[in-house]
Amino acid sequence: MKFFSILSRYITRQFLANFFMVFFAILGIILLFDSIEALRRVSGREDVTFWFTVQYAVTRITKTVEIVIPFVVMVAAMITFWRLSKNNEFVIIRTAGVSIFSFLRPLIIMAFILGVANIALFNPIAAKMFEWHEVLSYRLASRNPNAMLFSSKGLWIREAVGEGKILLIQAKTLRQEPDNSLWMRDISITELNSSSQITQVYEAYFATLEGNKFHLKDVKHIVGGMPVENMTDYTYKTNIDMQRIKENFIEPDAISFWQLPDTIAFYENAGFSARLHWMRYLNLLLSPFLLVGMLMMAAVFMLQNTLRGSAIMWRVVISIVTGFSIYFLSQVVYAFGINGYIPVWLAVSAPTIIILLMTTSLLVRTDEV
């Protein structure tokens, strides 16, 4: 069956209509619960505005939406297949000599396109919203409406030093040396007071971190209202060490699909592990195939010549339980990959490959009946 045939367009339209119906319904439910949680957190806070609460609730939903999209595809496909079976349209299609895989081909292509659109278009937006949600969470916790968290490319670290003093440390390039020292280039150390106002800045072309001391080279010392002081060498003492730097790398969820390769290269060139970022990147790459697998799973349970009475309910329940079971097992395998018990590519790809192989074999068997 050709992708642009009349039957293909008819089935695809039904699937897309059901997809957006389910998507916006789930989106509304998520937004409702996130709004309740946001109101609970800001209750009694006179320093929090209504606009802040709206932003906090809206920016929180993108991470959850990425998780539920495979289930949205499965539920939308189940509704589509159920309606086709209920109206005996599937029986007519099969009687006309159309195989199950020919029937599913346009839907598989559409599910794959939705997966590509998710990683190419929606993911960059979701990453920005996740990053902004982290900023809002920090502002809510610190009670500072102007506080910022930096998570752009490179290394950004915030350190509170006693009362009324905050350090922001940024480096464009860094590398871990065999002696466990850290080599950095284009580094700046910014001191802020309790009101988030800059008091002084140290800018250096080159620096090394040994223990908890930055050894700066070619330094510019900038203080408001005073001439810039140039120094050849300067030692800046801090509480930051190598472990603290590892813990303050950017969260993978706050990095868009298009920026992940550069970020992975940045961390690996610096001598640090980019396992989490690799898993995030591969997970996004395989997400279109996961959507195809979820659609085929719906076909296994719902594409029948006759679906009547309690049989429909049982198939719906079993398919939903199967979907959640696969999600739970995929998270277990994902955890094994994070902790290094299995290779990254296997931890990310195993659930998707299992779904595709299992559903394909079951559909082949159904097609032969």
Side-chain angles (χ1 to χ4, degrees), residues 39 41-50 52-53 140 143 145:
L39 290 172
R41 292 200 61 181
V42 303
S43 60
R45 294 281 298 272
E46 297 181 357
D47 58 320
V48 177
T49 64
F50 175 75
F52 180 94
T53 308
L140 188 64
R143 297 178 179 267

Side-chain angles (χ1 to χ4, degrees), residues 21 42 92 96 101-102 110 125 134 152 158 160 181 189 206 225 237 245 247 259 264 290 302 315 324 355 357:
M21 178 188 69
V42 303
I92 298 172
F101 286 99
S102 295
M110 184 52 60
I125 298 173
E134 292 295 301
S152 57
R158 175 185 179 277
S181 63
I189 302 174
F206 175 80
K237 190 174 181 180
I245 289 178
E247 292 173 354
Q259 294 176 331
I264 291 170
L290 177 61
M302 301 303 293
R315 288 180 178 274
F324 277 102
I355 293 173
L357 292 177

Side-chain angles (χ1 to χ4, degrees), residues 128-360:
K128 286 295 182 182
M129 293 182 71
F130 179 84
E131 182 179 356
W132 185 241
H133 180 76
E134 292 295 301
V135 173
L136 295 176
S137 298
Y138 175 63
R139 289 182 177 181
L140 188 64
S142 64
R143 297 178 179 267
N144 184 351
N146 299 316
M148 291 295 295
L149 285 176
F150 299 95
S151 57
S152 57
K153 289 183 181 179
L155 178 66
W156 284 91
I157 295 179
R158 175 185 179 277
E159 179 188 16
V161 184
E163 294 184 1
K165 184 178 179 181
I166 298 172
L167 296 184
L168 292 177
I169 302 174
Q170 187 264 341
K172 292 183 179 180
T173 306
L174 72 161
R175 179 185 297 276
Q176 184 178 6
E177 299 298 333
D179 60 356
N180 208 35
S181 63
L182 192 66
W183 176 92
M184 287 167 284
R185 198 178 73 178
D186 295 329
I187 180 174
S188 66
I189 302 174
T190 305
E191 295 185 5
L192 294 85
N193 58 23
S194 58
S195 300
S196 297
Q197 296 177 335
I198 298 175
T199 57
Q200 59 180 336
V201 179
Y202 293 88
E203 294 182 352
Y205 174 75
F206 175 80
T208 56
L209 175 64
E210 298 177 2
N212 59 352
K213 292 181 180 179
F214 285 104
H215 299 285
L216 308 175
K217 304 289 184 181
D218 295 334
V219 188
K220 290 183 179 180
H221 183 208
I222 305 171
V223 181
M226 298 181 62
V228 176
E229 181 183 1
N230 294 308
M231 297 178 287
T232 304
D233 300 282
Y234 187 78
T235 300
Y236 193 95
K237 190 174 181 180
T238 176
N239 294 326
I240 292 176
D241 55 13
M242 190 70 67
Q243 184 61 34
R244 174 70 190 279
I245 289 178
K246 292 180 180 179
E247 292 173 354
N248 279 272
F249 275 165
I250 306 170
E251 285 288 332
D253 291 341
I255 306 171
S256 75
F257 172 79
W258 304 108
Q259 294 176 331
L260 273 171
D262 290 339
T263 305
I264 291 170
F266 175 84
Y267 289 156
E268 290 185 339
N269 290 336
F272 296 105
S273 172
R275 178 179 293 271
L276 286 176
H277 299 80
W278 265 117
M279 294 189 70
R280 173 66 173 167
Y281 184 63
L282 294 177
N283 191 45
L284 288 172
L285 275 179
L286 290 174
S287 60
F289 298 96
L290 177 61
L291 297 189
V292 171
M294 299 300 280
L295 182 138
M296 294 173 66
M297 182 186 300
V300 168
F301 289 102
M302 301 303 293
L303 271 185
Q304 300 293 327
N305 291 334
T306 57
L307 281 177
R308 294 292 183 269
S310 61
I312 299 175
M313 184 59 64
W314 277 112
R315 288 180 178 274
V316 170
V317 171
I318 293 172
S319 60
I320 292 176
V321 170
T322 303
F324 277 102
S325 299
I326 290 174
Y327 174 77
F328 173 76
L329 292 175
S330 67
Q331 294 303 300
V332 173
V333 177
Y334 201 84
F336 284 146
I338 290 175
N339 290 288
Y341 296 121
I342 58 177
V344 167
W345 65 268
L346 181 61
V348 175
S349 63
T352 302
I353 293 174
I354 291 173
I355 293 173
L356 289 173
L357 292 177
M358 180 181 67
T359 54
T360 300

Side-chain angles (χ1 to χ4, degrees), residues 49-68:
T49 64
F50 175 75
W51 176 238
F52 180 94
T53 308
V54 172
Q55 291 183 82
Y56 186 84
V58 171
T59 54
R60 182 185 171 95
I61 67 175
T62 52
K63 183 175 177 60
T64 309
V65 167
E66 282 196 342
I67 295 174
V68 302

